[in-house]
Amino acid sequence: MRYLSIVSVFLFSFSFTTIGFAEENGTNVSEEILTQEELDYLVNEVGNTPEEAEELPVEVARQLIEEEAQLIDSGSEIMDIEPESIKPGQVSIFATIAATTIKLGGTVYKVTSDRSKEDKFYMYGNFQWLKTPSYNLVDKMTIGFPSSSGLYLPTSGGKVTQHQHRYSQDQQGNGRWIDYAIKYSPSNWEPSAGVAGSYDLKASTSKTKHKGYIGQYVYVPTSKNGKINIKIEYGHKRISGTPSVSVYPAGLSITPTQTTDTRSYALTLSY
């Protein structure tokens, strides 16, 4: 892939894995798309399905190409979220997988490491509301993994780095997505346990769709080996406020409450 190697000198001179970005808030219409050659590379060389390749944000996809990423595990599912009556003491969760309300997915890649004697992985989760949510509040999404795994988060200047999460909205449901917020620091994090992103859902109509993603690089000493589950979880409040997060044996995840709908997705990482 000589073309990709040459172009990458320009495309990734400002790589988000090595240089800090200012947080972007406001509106920015997503116009740039991947070339057919880039899409083919993501499918044939990285291991994505055509749908996964199409859904990756452009800058994330190009970074994965530059880092010669290899897909380890991936998947997605569609679930139906409907209001339900809650009895005292019950914890509300998303309804069983059914129709077309929200799509949740996740992927983990092994990428070329920039640290000696350490392996590097990229964990990625994404969601898309296929119907307008009943409440436009602040939702959260987490990536969690067991602290016993040996994986750790990169840091600099007291902050977790090599992170990004984004919220976008398609106001008319016609495929014209507007990026409202791109964050390069997690909203929550716990050492060797995971990160969270927050998504302030904007006002919408019955036509509006919402989507977002969370991505985090992690490292592990090459001398370590094992097999773990990565837990990607989405949380949506039904009344007010925003979901909180807690640390469990499986890692950082959404705290269940009577007014928080949650849904998790599992990935497997062998290293």
Side-chain angles (χ1 to χ4, degrees), residues 32-104:
E32 194 172 9
I33 61 174
L34 294 171
T35 67
Q36 187 58 52
E37 187 171 9
E38 289 168 327
L39 290 170
D40 290 343
Y41 185 92
L42 289 167
V43 173
N44 299 326
E45 303 296 333
V46 176
N48 289 114
T49 65
E51 182 181 20
E52 288 169 343
E54 290 277 3
E55 290 180 348
L56 280 170
V58 171
E59 69 273 22
V60 172
R62 288 178 173 164
Q63 184 68 21
L64 291 172
I65 292 171
E66 168 68 8
E67 294 173 329
E68 300 180 341
Q70 292 295 308
L71 187 144
I72 304 298
D73 193 15
S74 70
S76 63
E77 57 187 5
I78 295 175
M79 63 218 66
D80 194 41
I81 305 170
E82 299 292 348
E84 56 181 316
S85 58
I86 305 300
K87 298 177 182 179
Q90 256 188 349
V91 175
S92 169
I93 61 172
F94 281 156
T96 56
I97 298 172
T100 53
T101 299
I102 190 172
K103 183 178 180 181
L104 179 69

Side-chain angles (χ1 to χ4, degrees), residues 144-164:
F145 46 89
S147 58
S148 59
S149 65
L151 275 63
Y152 72 92
L153 303 170
T155 62
S156 178
K159 295 182 179 181
V160 171
T161 60
Q162 301 189 39
H163 171 94
Q164 63 284 146

Side-chain angles (χ1 to χ4, degrees), residues 122-215:
Y122 180 65
M123 301 177 179
Y124 173 82
N126 66 314
F127 69 90
Q128 181 174 335
W129 287 85
L130 305 177
K131 295 179 181 178
T132 302
S134 301
Y135 303 95
N136 295 322
L137 303 172
V138 178
D139 289 355
K140 284 197 174 181
M141 195 171 194
T142 60
I143 298 176
F145 46 89
S147 58
S148 59
S149 65
L151 275 63
Y152 72 92
L153 303 170
T155 62
S156 178
K159 295 182 179 181
V160 171
T161 60
Q162 301 189 39
H163 171 94
Q164 63 284 146
H165 64 275
R166 175 185 298 187
Y167 165 67
S168 306
Q169 188 186 84
D170 177 358
Q171 296 177 335
Q172 300 301 317
N174 58 8
R176 187 175 175 83
W177 290 95
I178 297 175
D179 299 329
Y180 278 94
I182 306 174
K183 308 282 187 179
Y184 294 92
S185 296
S187 61
N188 308 82
W189 65 277
E190 288 292 334
S192 301
V195 294
S198 60
Y199 308 88
D200 186 2
L201 304 185
K202 302 300 181 184
S204 56
T205 68
S206 60
K207 295 180 179 179
T208 305
K209 296 178 181 178
H210 308 255
K211 72 176 181 180
Y213 71 83
I214 181 170

Side-chain angles (χ1 to χ4, degrees), residues 244-259:
S244 59
V245 298
S246 304
V247 180
Y248 299 93
L252 191 72
S253 59
I254 305 295
T255 306
T257 71
Q258 293 184 3
T259 59

